[in-house]
Amino acid sequence: MMERRRMDVALLMLVLGHLAAALEVPLDLPQPPTITHQSPQDYIIDPRENIIIHCEAKGNPHPSFSWTRNGTHFDVDEDPNVTMKPNSGTLVVDINRVKAEQYECVYQCTARNSHGTAVSNNIVVRQSRSPLWSKQKIKPIVIQEGVSLVLPCRPPAGLPPPIIFWMDNYFQKLPQSSRVSQSLNGDLYFSNVLREDSRNDYICYARFPYTQTIQQKQPISVKVLNMDAINDTMAAFYNDTDLFREDPADERKPTFLIPSGPFSSKTVLRGQVLEMECIAEGLPTPEISWTKVSGDLPTKRTSFLHHQRALRIVNVSESDAGDYRCVARNQMGMVHHTIHITVKAAPYWITGPPRNLVLAPGENGVLTCRASGTPKPSITWAMNGIPIENSPQDPSRKVEDDTIIFADVQIGSSAVYQCNVSNNYGYLMSNAFINVLSEPPRVLTASNKVYQVIKNHRALIDCSSFGSPIPEITWFKETRTSTLDGYPYIIHDNGTLVIDGAQANNSGKYTCVATNIFGIYENHVYLEVKESTRIVKQPEYKEVRRGRSAVFECKVIHDPSLIPTMTWLKDGGELPDDERLIVDSDSLTITDVTESDAGVYTCIMNTTLDQDSASAELTVVEATPTPAVVYERPDPPTDLELTDQKKKSVQLTWTPGDEHNSPIQKFLIQYEDSLHHRNQWHNLTEVSGTKTTAHLKLSPYVHYTFRVVAINAFGFSNPSSPSRLFKTEAAAPDENPTGVHGFGTEHDNLVISWKPLSALQSNGPGLHYKVMWRQKSVDSDWTTVTVANKSKFVVSGTPTFVPYELKVQAVNDHGAGPEPAIAHGYSGEDLPLAAPEHVQAIVLNSTVTEVHWDPLPSKFIRGHLKGYKVYYWRERSLHKHNPHHAEKQILTFSGNHSRGILPGLHPFSAYLFNVRVFNGKGEGPPSPTRQFETPEGVPGAPTSLIVTELNLDSLTLEWNPPHAHNGRITGYTLRYQPAVASRQVDIATQGWFIGLMCAIALLILILLIICFIQRNKGGKYPVKEKEDAHTDPEFQPMKDDDCTFGEYSDNEDHKPLKGSRTPSSGTVKRDDSDDSLVDYGEGGDGQFNEDGSFIGQYSGKSASRDTAEGHESSEAPSPTNAMNSLNSFV
């Protein structure tokens, strides 16, 4: 009957429609209370501290709180020792004036607002107790050697129970073994006593965890004697002692001290810890073993305590019920005991507690309270804390055992429902609300959040949303052209987007869109895929002499945007605080090495996203070994044996050869396949140098012979002698060809190619391939052919450039390989059918133009788009108006571009161009030819410059126009400056030359006198009248202090151009230049005819300006400041 009701409920759930998932309702929306924090059901408190009973809840409006104590209303305001925290239901009991035991009660918290009422669990408050040990006098124990002994502990009952341990007067734990062990109740058991067990400080301690106090029992004195000692000292020592036994202690078979009898039973609750113990006495000491009579022990959950005396099973389940047997045995015999275990279960959730429901008006939903237990628990429902049978009727609600079904809910249906599940061993209670809302969607994940993930790792991008009805989530990347669906994207029900094996091209902007009937909301986040952190140079094994230095390198590559941190460890712990250890960015240096530095060093490179690590060992040897140790390559291994032979594996063992004072680091195992590749040895695997056995995984249909090579720090040993032959049986292929590609060599064919399997991969004779293909996106069957001894197959008569799905499966005489993966390819390409449209040119400057076009639709490309080519050529110069027969130039723009830049153009020219698309087959037709004109640019230099008339005070220049006008010539600019000549004179030191120099000096003196006279007369300069007009008293004929001339030199080589002037200071420094530009002053501006002849007038600066400039400095100005310019315009 119950099963039929469950089926009816399931069918009704299907009819009612989708189930609303549990949602986190934003607190700004109306909602019933939800209890967010409460004290545990069994609440043990410290009696020395204030009692705090927690009850926190959220809701909108914020809930109010009330309490019951022992089932009746608890008026907090009436108790002066109790206060309730503001905006909270948490109680604080001040125990300064009262005892904590007065508040040992059962409490329950209620949180309510206008939308419903939530209640907490029953909170049982009990104070922890650590009572004192009752004082008693413990008599000394005298016992015969070899008999059993039990020292009782019997601590006082505490809450919670204390932790028991045995120690001596010095607080040292007493040693325990298979002979002496502590039982689960704390007693100390001796299977047999020895003379060394004699001591007077056997002390049992009880630690109470809540109060962190330790109680101590009175010490117990034990004296172990043999029978001779007992007889000798009977009268003197045993007046006030108990003698346990008089008979000699002979060897005997085991008997159980606990438990008693052959059988016992125990009940344990599901999820708890099961502990069983068997302690036996006997001589020699018995050994204990455990088995489960009706099955195997649960290995992962089983452990043994107290030297096999106790068996512990954690997280008990119903499968742990049954009979367990403990066996005690020694050389005298054995005894066993069977413990029957019964497993009961307090209620537990099967699918978790009921979840909150948020529904829109008119929607359907279900609250499920699915729990189990042993015995089967009963389930009751309440609404807003009132049993549901006493609650107001709601036509949209129907209760079916552990399920409440809601149909066509309305705004008034909001409430909090309590589900209570109970049996003899406990109870479960959970609140779940139904909240009826009409809300547009919103995305709760922060906008513009940046997610970072390491390449090839899984990326999780959140889109936590809320809305009523529940919003539908869609994802877009970059633009909203198409939704993200299918590999590598997975969208979970909660909106999270998963990208398996993220790659660099997965980086970018992602948009999450939430939609329901009331609106739409979108949120943007970003994903950054980072390169992994990898150690590219690992630290290597070092063998260093004492006193030398050791350097471990650890070089890393990482994503440049991540900041790595390097950490070094020694033997798994931190590096010693020693200045001899120097950590650099990519190395660890240990100076003045000592024996304590030996160990394993590990470098760890961490970033915020990943890490990598590598280790190496440091061995420290004596600085001056005596006698000298010879280090050599190891000897080859010997005695190769094959065992544990199976179809695809075998066990290989060997005996290592002499390692010659350098430890063997690893063994290299090689094989020869005499069936396919005779006399060729291949590496199979490597194992640690500490191992002499390897489990080898093999391939079918191979005739194996093995050999082993040892490797130490000094190199490889010679190979061992080969093992005996081992043949594996043939089998069907376990892999398929890789590198499956599909492409066309003609416009109407498809070439399917693959990398064939090797003979080793064939797994058997008769290897051939099953080649399959079909058009993609077309509902068609696979076409299949079988080929052998080939690595490609040509399909003829295909349509041009159509996508295909391809599969290649390996088959041999023993069967077919696994289902092959689908590869993709295209049939052959053909020339494009059309040219790009809307071609236009945008002139950027005189030498650069940008060309634009519309990308060609893929149906006209008929192949893989390789790019676009722009053909352009110079038609003519706009200056000469005659055609220019230049060769066509081509610029190629790879990829799907819609514009391109044409550089290096001639200014002031007319160009023609067209654009063509090209694929793997070739170019398509050209677009209509378009024209553009480049504007004027900077002209070239004149092709020649000639001086035609050279006079003492003037010259005539002629030049030819430039080859490249680059526009219409509007004028020329002439720049000139005086040439500066200098001459060096070598001075001879011979006697005959000194006389010659004296004569020259006399001649120079005469010339200077003549120059001075000529200057006073005005000379023959044409500007003499203008110079005489200056009346400034600072114009001096000569400066007495430096003997320099202030006016014009009489040397004709130094005459200025007509119209030039000297500075008003009239001084020139001969040390600076023999022909200073100060003598020429500012040059005049003039004009030239088109043929270059001079037609203008000289002009100079005003005298007042010259004077002002002369006062500033008497230094000669730089020649660059004396540059003159003549401008001509046509």
Side-chain angles (χ1 to χ4, degrees):
M1 183 65 182
M2 183 59 68
E3 291 299 324
R4 182 171 181 177
R5 291 184 62 190
R6 290 189 180 278
M7 291 177 63
D8 292 341
V9 171
L11 291 173
L12 183 58
M13 290 167 62
L14 292 174
V15 173
L16 291 175
H18 75 277
L19 297 178
L23 295 175
E24 186 71 22
V25 183
L27 269 178
D28 62 329
L29 297 178
Q31 58 187 285
T34 300
I35 292 181
T36 57
H37 179 54
Q38 58 183 309
S39 294
Q41 296 181 28
D42 190 8
Y43 188 24
I44 300 176
I45 60 171
D46 188 335
R48 300 168 299 181
E49 299 178 354
N50 288 343
I51 304 171
I52 301 177
I53 309 175
H54 294 281
C55 181
E56 304 289 343
K58 66 177 182 178
N60 189 358
H62 189 72
S64 60
F65 298 88
S66 62
W67 285 86
T68 63
R69 183 166 66 175
N70 293 336
T72 61
H73 176 67
F74 179 34
D75 192 345
V76 176
D77 295 333
E78 294 297 322
D79 192 327
N81 301 312
V82 181
T83 57
M84 186 184 297
K85 290 185 177 181
N87 298 319
S88 166
T90 297
L91 298 181
V92 180
V93 182
D94 187 354
I95 63 169
N96 289 326
R97 294 172 292 180
V98 294
K99 293 184 177 180
E101 62 186 20
Q102 296 182 17
Y103 291 91
E104 289 185 304
C105 302
V106 179
Y107 296 85
Q108 189 172 40
C109 171
T110 300
R112 58 171 53 88
N113 67 10
S114 57
H115 301 291
T117 301
V119 296
S120 71
N121 292 315
N122 286 331
I123 303 171
V124 181
V125 176
R126 297 184 294 168
Q127 68 170 341
S128 63
R129 289 176 171 81
S130 52
L132 296 176
W133 230 302
S134 59
K135 292 186 178 181
Q136 58 179 335
K137 183 178 181 182
I138 302 177
K139 295 181 179 180
I141 297 173
V142 178
I143 192 167
Q144 180 183 348
E145 184 178 12
V147 302
S148 61
L149 173 66
V150 180
L151 299 182
C153 180
R154 316 289 166 76
L159 184 68
I163 300 171
I164 307 300
F165 48 93
W166 289 80
M167 293 196 298
D168 60 16
N169 276 329
Y170 300 100
F171 298 99
Q172 300 297 315
K173 281 191 174 183
L174 295 176
Q176 298 188 24
S177 63
S178 59
R179 186 179 62 85
V180 182
S181 61
Q182 178 180 316
S183 67
L184 295 177
N185 70 355
D187 294 346
L188 191 63
Y189 282 78
F190 295 77
S191 295
N192 50 77
V193 295
L194 302 176
R195 295 286 297 273
E196 56 262 30
D197 295 327
S198 298
R199 61 189 309 151
N200 58 7
D201 59 350
Y202 285 95
I203 305 174
C204 181
Y205 289 86
R207 181 169 65 85
F208 297 89
Y210 264 70
T211 57
Q212 295 299 317
T213 58
I214 297 178
Q215 302 291 349
Q216 171 185 338
K217 188 176 182 176
Q218 292 294 322
I220 301 175
S221 176
V222 174
K223 188 170 185 64
V224 180
L225 300 175
N226 56 29
M227 285 302 299
D228 294 337
I230 293 176
N231 294 330
D232 292 342
T233 59
M234 177 70 73
F237 190 75
Y238 293 104
N239 294 331
D240 192 26
T241 60
D242 292 330
L243 184 61
F244 282 80
R245 181 171 177 174
E246 296 181 357
D247 297 333
D250 298 327
E251 291 186 345
R252 60 194 181 278
K253 74 174 186 177
T255 58
F256 282 115
L257 297 174
I258 54 171
S260 60
F263 301 100
S264 61
S265 62
K266 189 172 186 177
T267 299
V268 65
L269 292 182
R270 178 184 182 274
Q272 293 187 352
V273 177
L274 169 61
E275 290 183 331
M276 299 171 280
E277 67 178 344
C278 288
I279 301 179
E281 67 89 22
L283 191 65
T285 301
E287 296 295 329
I288 305 293
S289 62
W290 291 87
T291 58
K292 186 177 182 184
V293 177
S294 55
D296 297 328
L297 293 174
T299 307
K300 293 184 178 179
R301 297 183 289 115
T302 301
S303 59
F304 298 96
L305 309 175
H306 305 155
H307 304 278
Q308 293 285 117
R309 268 54 181 162
L311 170 66
R312 169 182 285 177
I313 300 177
V314 299
N315 193 21
V316 169
S317 66
E318 288 82 355
S319 64
D320 296 322
D323 292 335
Y324 293 80
R325 178 171 294 167
C326 63
V327 177
R329 57 167 53 88
N330 63 11
Q331 64 190 35
M332 305 302 296
M334 61 172 287
V335 64
H336 64 81
H337 182 93
T338 301
I339 306 174
H340 180 74
I341 300 299
T342 301
V343 178
K344 301 292 185 179
Y348 59 91
W349 299 115
I350 297 176
T351 57
R355 296 183 295 179
N356 294 333
L357 283 178
V358 178
L359 302 174
E363 280 196 312
N364 310 318
V366 174
L367 283 180
T368 302
C369 184
R370 195 67 49 80
S372 184
T374 306
K376 185 176 180 179
S378 61
I379 298 175
T380 59
W381 287 94
M383 186 185 81
N384 295 330
I386 301 173
I388 199 162
E389 57 270 16
N390 300 331
S391 301
Q393 293 295 319
D394 186 344
S396 67
R397 180 185 69 217
K398 183 178 181 181
V399 180
E400 293 284 351
D401 192 24
D402 59 2
T403 303
I404 301 180
I405 303 169
F406 298 93
D408 192 22
V409 297
Q410 301 302 319
I411 294 294
S413 298
S414 296
V416 182
Y417 290 84
Q418 289 80 35
C419 167
N420 190 299
V421 187
S422 62
N423 66 8
N424 297 336
Y425 297 100
Y427 79 97
L428 295 172
M429 202 281 293
S430 179
N431 294 275
F433 66 64
I434 173 174
N435 196 13
V436 183
L437 293 173
S438 298
E439 285 294 325
R442 65 173 76 177
V443 176
L444 306 179
T445 302
S447 60
N448 298 318
K449 184 176 180 179
V450 178
Y451 294 86
Q452 295 180 331
V453 68
I454 294 297
K455 184 179 178 181
N456 295 321
H457 285 61
R458 173 176 291 183
L460 300 174
I461 309 177
D462 294 329
C463 183
S464 177
S465 64
F466 179 81
S468 184
I470 298 174
E472 179 182 354
I473 303 299
T474 52
W475 281 92
F476 302 89
K477 185 175 187 293
E478 304 299 348
T479 60
R480 295 181 58 176
T481 54
S482 62
T483 59
L484 300 180
D485 192 13
Y487 185 82
Y489 302 106
I490 301 173
I491 301 178
H492 287 282
D493 292 340
N494 63 357
T496 298
L497 176 66
V498 179
I499 306 175
D500 273 329
Q503 301 298 314
N505 59 2
N506 295 128
S507 297
K509 175 183 176 183
Y510 288 79
T511 301
C512 155
V513 179
T515 308
N516 70 9
I517 60 175
F518 296 110
I520 185 171
Y521 190 101
E522 66 178 44
N523 189 53
H524 306 292
V525 294
Y526 297 87
L527 176 64
E528 296 177 354
V529 180
K530 307 292 187 180
E531 291 293 332
S532 61
T533 301
R534 291 186 294 113
I535 296 177
V536 293
K537 183 168 180 56
Q538 300 184 356
E540 298 177 347
Y541 171 81
K542 300 286 184 183
E543 187 174 275
V544 180
R545 293 184 178 180
R546 184 162 50 87
R548 301 280 183 91
S549 295
V551 179
F552 290 109
E553 292 186 282
C554 187
K555 295 186 178 179
V556 179
I557 61 173
H558 59 88
D559 192 281
S561 64
L562 299 178
I563 300 176
T565 57
M566 179 174 287
T567 304
W568 284 90
L569 304 177
K570 180 179 183 291
D571 296 329
E574 295 184 358
L575 287 179
D577 186 12
D578 192 330
E579 61 182 8
R580 296 182 301 107
L581 277 66
I582 304 170
V583 177
D584 292 324
S585 60
D586 57 2
S587 66
L588 169 66
T589 302
I590 308 173
T591 61
D592 192 18
V593 168
T594 65
E595 287 81 358
S596 63
D597 296 324
V600 177
Y601 291 83
T602 303
C603 75
I604 303 175
M605 182 61 69
N606 283 292
T607 69
T608 55
L609 298 181
D610 67 340
Q611 72 168 34
D612 195 10
S613 62
S615 300
E617 185 178 2
L618 173 63
T619 300
V620 181
V621 297
E622 285 296 327
T624 55
T626 304
V629 179
V630 178
Y631 300 95
E632 294 180 357
R633 297 183 304 157
D635 289 342
T638 59
D639 303 328
L640 272 64
E641 292 186 10
L642 298 177
T643 58
D644 193 19
Q645 301 174 7
K646 297 180 180 179
K647 287 186 177 181
K648 292 186 179 181
S649 67
V650 70
Q651 192 88 0
L652 175 65
T653 60
W654 62 89
T655 301
D658 191 342
E659 61 184 21
H660 293 296
N661 302 307
S662 177
I664 295 177
Q665 299 171 357
K666 56 187 175 182
F667 291 100
L668 174 63
I669 301 172
Q670 299 176 324
Y671 73 93
E672 177 198 19
D673 178 10
S674 58
L675 178 62
H676 301 106
H677 303 289
R678 183 177 293 275
N679 298 324
Q680 293 184 19
W681 289 92
H682 308 274
N683 293 340
L684 180 60
T685 187
E686 293 179 351
V687 297
S688 168
T690 60
K691 294 185 177 181
T692 59
T693 302
H695 185 75
L696 307 178
K697 295 182 178 180
L698 308 177
S699 298
Y701 196 53
V702 178
H703 294 179
Y704 283 101
T705 304
F706 302 100
R707 69 183 188 185
V708 183
V709 178
I711 305 170
N712 66 7
F714 293 89
F716 292 71
S717 73
N718 293 324
S720 68
S721 299
S723 70
R724 62 181 175 85
L725 185 67
F726 179 69
K727 299 180 181 180
T728 55
E729 298 178 3
D734 51 16
E735 60 182 307
N736 289 310
T738 58
V740 178
H741 296 287
F743 57 93
T745 57
E746 301 293 339
H747 67 88
D748 59 351
N749 74 1
L750 170 67
V751 179
I752 305 173
S753 65
W754 59 91
K755 181 181 179 181
L757 298 184
S758 65
L760 186 63
Q761 295 170 314
S762 67
N763 285 4
L767 177 66
H768 57 278
Y769 302 100
K770 185 187 293 185
V771 183
M772 296 163 277
W773 70 91
R774 70 179 179 187
Q775 280 195 36
K776 189 177 180 181
S777 303
V778 176
D779 188 11
S780 60
D781 295 331
W782 291 93
T783 302
T784 303
V785 298
T786 299
V787 298
N789 301 321
K790 292 183 180 180
S791 60
K792 69 177 180 179
F793 179 78
V794 180
V795 182
S796 301
T798 63
T800 301
F801 197 65
V802 171
Y804 278 85
E805 292 181 328
L806 316 170
K807 294 194 294 185
V808 180
Q809 186 178 31
V811 184
N812 65 16
D813 294 346
H814 291 264
E819 178 64 23
I822 296 178
H824 300 277
Y826 281 84
S827 56
E829 300 179 84
D830 206 346
L831 295 177
L833 288 174
E837 296 181 346
H838 302 106
V839 176
Q840 59 178 330
I842 300 175
V843 178
L844 301 181
N845 56 45
S846 62
T847 61
V848 178
T849 294
E850 186 174 57
V851 177
H852 289 251
W853 61 87
D854 287 350
L856 196 64
S858 57
K859 65 181 180 179
F860 296 117
I861 297 176
R862 300 204 299 178
H864 295 287
L865 174 63
K866 299 298 185 182
Y868 292 86
K869 293 183 179 181
V870 179
Y871 284 73
Y872 64 101
W873 61 96
R874 185 183 183 195
E875 182 187 23
R876 57 188 172 83
S877 169
L878 297 178
H879 172 70
K880 296 181 179 180
H881 301 288
N882 59 328
H884 183 84
H885 301 288
E887 293 184 0
K888 290 184 178 179
Q889 296 179 275
I890 304 173
L891 272 182
T892 300
F893 301 95
S894 299
N896 190 15
H897 290 273
S898 61
R899 63 185 180 90
I901 298 294
L902 305 183
L905 303 177
H906 291 279
F908 205 53
S909 300
Y911 277 86
L912 298 177
F913 74 98
N914 58 51
V915 183
R916 311 178 191 192
V917 67
F918 70 98
N919 59 20
K921 191 71 173 180
E923 299 177 6
S927 68
T929 300
R930 304 291 189 213
Q931 183 185 35
F932 64 86
E933 296 180 354
T934 55
E936 290 185 296
V938 177
T943 56
S944 65
L945 178 63
I946 305 172
V947 178
T948 57
E949 295 183 15
L950 179 61
N951 299 316
L952 293 177
D953 55 359
S954 66
L955 54 85
T956 301
L957 300 176
E958 293 183 1
W959 59 84
N960 289 322
H963 288 303
H965 284 221
N966 292 343
R968 294 182 178 85
I969 301 296
T970 58
Y972 294 89
T973 299
L974 175 64
R975 299 181 184 274
Y976 69 92
Q977 69 179 41
V980 179
S982 62
R983 183 175 58 187
Q984 293 181 345
V985 178
D986 295 331
I987 301 175
T989 57
Q990 291 83 352
W992 62 268
F993 191 70
I994 296 175
L996 178 60
M997 294 306 297
C998 291
I1000 293 173
L1002 178 61
L1003 180 59
I1004 291 173
L1005 179 60
I1006 296 172
L1007 291 175
L1008 288 174
I1009 294 172
I1010 296 172
C1011 289
F1012 181 77
I1013 296 172
Q1014 290 286 10
R1015 180 183 181 281
N1016 289 337
K1017 292 182 178 180
K1020 56 182 179 180
Y1021 300 100
V1023 293
K1024 177 64 178 173
E1025 292 84 6
K1026 296 182 181 180
E1027 296 299 329
D1028 290 339
H1030 288 286
T1031 59
D1032 194 326
E1034 291 185 10
F1035 276 82
Q1036 300 295 331
M1038 180 181 290
K1039 294 182 68 174
D1040 295 335
D1041 56 348
D1042 59 1
C1043 297
T1044 58
F1045 296 95
E1047 291 294 341
Y1048 301 103
S1049 169
D1050 201 19
N1051 189 341
E1052 290 187 358
D1053 291 340
H1054 295 167
K1055 288 183 180 180
L1057 292 174
K1058 187 178 292 184
S1060 64
R1061 302 177 62 94
T1062 60
S1064 58
S1065 65
T1067 62
V1068 177
K1069 288 189 175 181
R1070 289 295 182 186
D1071 292 342
D1072 293 338
S1073 174
D1074 292 338
D1075 192 6
S1076 173
L1077 292 177
V1078 178
D1079 294 335
Y1080 298 97
E1082 288 286 329
D1085 293 335
Q1087 291 191 0
F1088 289 78
N1089 287 329
E1090 194 168 17
D1091 60 358
S1093 59
F1094 182 73
I1095 61 173
Q1097 296 293 326
Y1098 294 103
S1099 62
K1101 291 184 178 180
S1102 65
S1104 62
R1105 179 176 177 184
D1106 292 344
T1107 304
E1109 293 177 353
H1111 290 169
E1112 292 174 2
S1113 174
S1114 62
E1115 298 289 338
S1118 168
T1120 59
N1121 294 332
M1123 183 74 71
N1124 296 278
S1125 297
L1126 296 173
N1127 296 313
S1128 174
F1129 301 92
V1130 295

